[in-house]
């Protein structure tokens, strides 16, 4: 059955790999599964056809036969669970990799997203000067903890896994802020993720949509 995912017709980031469909593309590339992409406009995302796939009117979605999924974490977990290459065979190592997926989305990403909102959307608000340092400190707190846990290892728990895929994708959102460079081992960790051929194929495919 053909896998079809949805992506922005024109991504807000201009193809820098920050749109969440990049994570799904990367997972599919890692496991060697072909897929098709259906591009949707912002208007189409709010129409009934798309809302039937994603009740919150966002991207990406995943369709395979009668199966339709939304939420990036759920989609990447499904891909990793169904195909070899993103989760270890050992049951305990597999559980730890899944834990890192949840940690990336539930613990590390929220303060990073909050920082992005504070800088880009609320930057002109009168309270930003006082609020921004607090938001930056919350992001730094998480990065300090993650940096200590990673140490000098290449990946979070042994070999590269879906946990690393999600964590690298989350950390990439910090690049424009410069905060990631304060943690050299995390910056190197992200660079290792970006250097993976599967990531490069996913990035190039998303960039091509936005530069055509």
């Amino acid at each position: 059955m053909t896998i079809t995912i949805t992506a922005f017709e024109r991504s807000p980031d201009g193809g820098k790999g920050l749109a969440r469909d990049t994570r799904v593309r990367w997972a599919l590339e890692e496991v060697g599964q072909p897929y098709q992409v259906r591009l949707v406009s912002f208007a189409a995302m709010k129409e009934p056809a798309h809302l039937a796939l994603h009740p919150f009117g966002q991207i990406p979605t995943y369709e395979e036969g009668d199966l339709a999924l939304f939420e990036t974490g759920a989609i990447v977990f499904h891909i990793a669970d169904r195909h070899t290459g993103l989760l270890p065979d050992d049951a305990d190592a597999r559980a730890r990799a899944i834990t890192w997926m949840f940690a990336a989305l539930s613990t590390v990403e929220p303060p990073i997203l909050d920082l992005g909102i504070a800088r880009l959307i609320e930057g002109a608000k009168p309270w930003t000067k006082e609020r921004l340092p607090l938001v930056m400190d919350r992001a730094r707190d998480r990065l300090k903890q993650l940096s200590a846990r990673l140490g000098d290892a290449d990946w979070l728990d042994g070999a590269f896994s879906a946990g690393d895929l999600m964590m690298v994708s989350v950390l990439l959102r910090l690049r424009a802020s410069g905060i990631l460079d304060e943690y050299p081992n995390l910056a190197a960790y992200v660079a290792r993720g970006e250097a993976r051929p599967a990531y490069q194929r996913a990035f190039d495919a998303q960039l091509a949509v936005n530069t055509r």
Side-chain angles (χ1 to χ4, degrees):
M1 291 178 285
T2 302
I3 295 170
T4 301
I5 68 171
T6 51
F8 288 122
E9 184 179 69
R10 187 66 60 180
S11 178
D13 74 343
K16 295 178 181 177
L18 301 183
R20 283 178 170 82
D21 64 283
T22 306
R23 304 174 185 186
V24 176
R25 293 174 188 266
W26 186 5
L28 289 167
E29 294 288 353
E30 287 284 355
V31 301
Q33 287 298 304
Y35 62 97
Q36 297 178 349
V37 180
R38 184 170 66 254
L39 302 177
V40 293
S41 66
F42 283 100
M45 289 164 58
K46 307 307 178 185
E47 294 177 356
H50 187 75
L51 290 172
L53 296 173
H54 198 308
F56 304 109
Q58 298 175 323
I59 62 97
T61 60
Y62 174 104
E63 296 170 82
E64 185 178 14
D66 294 330
L67 177 65
L69 299 174
F70 64 97
E71 287 297 328
T72 310
I75 295 170
V76 172
F77 175 74
H78 171 76
I79 294 167
D81 188 52
R82 180 162 291 190
H83 306 284
T84 59
L86 281 174
L87 288 175
D89 292 331
D90 176 77
D92 288 349
R94 185 183 184 91
R96 290 193 299 270
I98 294 169
T99 297
W100 280 114
M101 290 182 67
F102 278 85
L105 296 175
S106 300
T107 303
V108 179
E109 188 169 42
I112 292 175
L113 291 177
D114 198 21
L115 176 59
I117 291 171
R119 291 179 66 245
L120 301 176
I121 298 177
E122 300 175 348
K125 301 294 184 181
W127 65 79
T128 296
K129 185 177 179 180
E130 290 75 22
R131 182 172 184 266
L132 186 57
L134 301 175
V135 177
M136 294 180 74
D137 284 345
R138 284 198 291 270
R140 286 189 174 102
D141 286 344
R142 284 288 179 250
L143 294 181
K144 182 179 179 180
Q145 294 165 329
L146 181 63
S147 174
R149 180 57 181 262
L150 179 65
D152 59 1
D154 284 346
W155 307 113
L156 291 169
D157 193 277
F160 177 85
S161 75
D164 295 295
L165 185 153
M166 297 305 294
M167 191 67 76
V168 169
S169 298
V170 165
L171 294 177
L172 277 167
R173 293 184 171 275
L174 283 170
R175 176 159 290 159
S177 72
I179 293 179
L180 189 63
D181 295 331
E182 298 174 16
Y183 305 86
N185 67 331
L186 294 183
Y189 170 66
V190 170
R192 281 191 293 275
E194 290 180 291
R196 293 181 69 84
Y199 176 83
Q200 288 294 319
R201 291 192 296 271
F203 180 90
D204 290 346
Q206 207 251 16
L207 180 61
V209 171
N210 289 275
T211 54
R212 56 186 178 163

